[in-house]
Amino acid sequence: MHCPSQTPTVRLPQAPQLPHVLPALHINHCRLSASHIDHHRARQADGHGGCTLRHAHLERRLPCAYAVAEAQQMAPDVFAETSQLQQPGREQQQISVVMKFGGSSVASADRMWEVAQIICSFPQLFPCIVLSAMGKTTNLLLQAGQEALTASPGSVATLSPLRDIKELHRQAAEDLRVNEEAKAEMEQLLSELQQLLVGVSIMQDLTMRAKDSLVSFGERLSTRLFAAFLRKEGVAARQYDAWDLGMVSSDDFGNADVRYEQSFANISASLTRSNGAPPEIPIVTGFLARGESTGAITTLGRGGSDLSATVIGAALNLAEVQVWKDVDGVLTSDPRLVKSARPVPLLTYDEATELAFFGATVLHPQAMQPAFQQQLHTGHRLAVRVKNSYNRAAAGTLISEERDMHDALMTSIVLKPGITLLDIVSTRMLGQVGFMATVFDIFNSNGISVDVVATSEVSISLTLDPSKMWSRDLVDAELDALVAAFKAKGIARVNYKRAMSCVSLICNVEKTSQILERVFKVLGREGINVKMMSQGASKNNISLIVSDDEGKNAVRSLHKEFFD
């Protein structure tokens, strides 16, 4: 955004009644968007009741009607043309695309307006919209649950995270000017949320089942607000909780598995429009489902809204699902770690899955499974396009079944820190029958997920995933219990090292020799010692285990070698 260094002042007699949120305008070389308007809040009243506006970068508050009035005066035609949303997909009988928007994309009222603009800027498409919770709401809900465990029932209403959640959604409702019915529905959900937290306080217990119910309020609130806003703007929309459409999962609270066959059939029946049905845009909660046996609310793990979107896309046999994020697609590395990281234009299903599994946060690790499932059963091919809601012009990343790998070498470099490395050495003779089976049975009995594996005749080296649960890490007591289990079996000696990092090279493994020659040249020059390496059966990934204090340097150095 470019603004003149000497911003002129504008006098206005009074602030007119104007919309709280506005589309982007380009005025006097300065891009004036809803969030930018918020920055025009430094006002000084004069003796005649006028105002002086100056450009001041302040954190978000209520939009400034004075700056809006300036925009209207300076570009009335643009203002008039862009202040109305148009119903998309008027000519479509059935849903033609799924668009998923993450928490940062719907973090505030003005961000919701931007999302509405994106949706309505494709008049030829009839979309189904999948939303995450607003901003950091999921984290606030988890924090509220933890604080409720030690709070008295009477003090639950004063918990800071609960107050923040209420303030965020009430302010968004005011800014979006939704009707009283929508506000009442929002207040009912906020009341139910508080009652649940009171129950946690009374019981002094927060089970995984209760935690899933707790975090579900984020998506249930955001989708209701957004659907009400669209309707207020004249766009026909209807809110759905995912279970209303028939999204069914296992009863593994915290990280449930979608029951694809059942969910596909249910969703297809729910979202296939009959002749003459109103063209309402479905606004669906991401991340959520109902357990197949308990019927209780379940969640699909962190980032599960991506999976919700691809499940719906596969169920409807769509050509494309769009996942709108806050980055320009899938990148060559984490931009917070590598400043020169750039978008990857094309990925295969397998590459995207490996990236997500080994630490990239752009997509849910299971997001490509619905595409695999549909292709397996129907031959239908679903593409996933990752786009940036903050930069609509960016091409993004297209993920499909296959791509031309002839000239591909390195695709992306991912860092997964905080893992644990185990070395398991057999105490029995070479070729002992059942050794591997016994090793993995012990992990299964202890409920511990194995990540990367390298084996020899007498030993196994492997890394441990810090579990599928959100906030749980493998603690020393659990590791000691695992070591004791091996000792009790009398089959192996076990040593473990914590604070390790996995550097994953998503690459063309057909060119392994060329890649590893350059990799170890770089790591040798940087003095980085590789503790373990695994290529395995994957055709897309080589994993290197290094210490945590060397992980970031390894990624930066390798990115410079292959991309800069």
Side-chain angles (χ1 to χ4, degrees), residues 344-360:
V344 178
L346 298 171
L347 284 175
T348 65
Y349 293 162
D350 289 330
E351 288 175 315
T353 301
E354 295 274 0
L355 272 167
F357 183 79
F358 283 101

Side-chain angles (χ1 to χ4, degrees), residues 23 28 126 128-129 135 147 168 233 272 275 332 338 408 443 460 558:
N28 285 0
F126 180 30
C128 172
I129 308 303
E147 292 186 13
L168 172 67
E233 291 295 316
T272 299
N275 290 332
T332 51
V338 180
F443 284 109
I460 303 173
L558 290 171

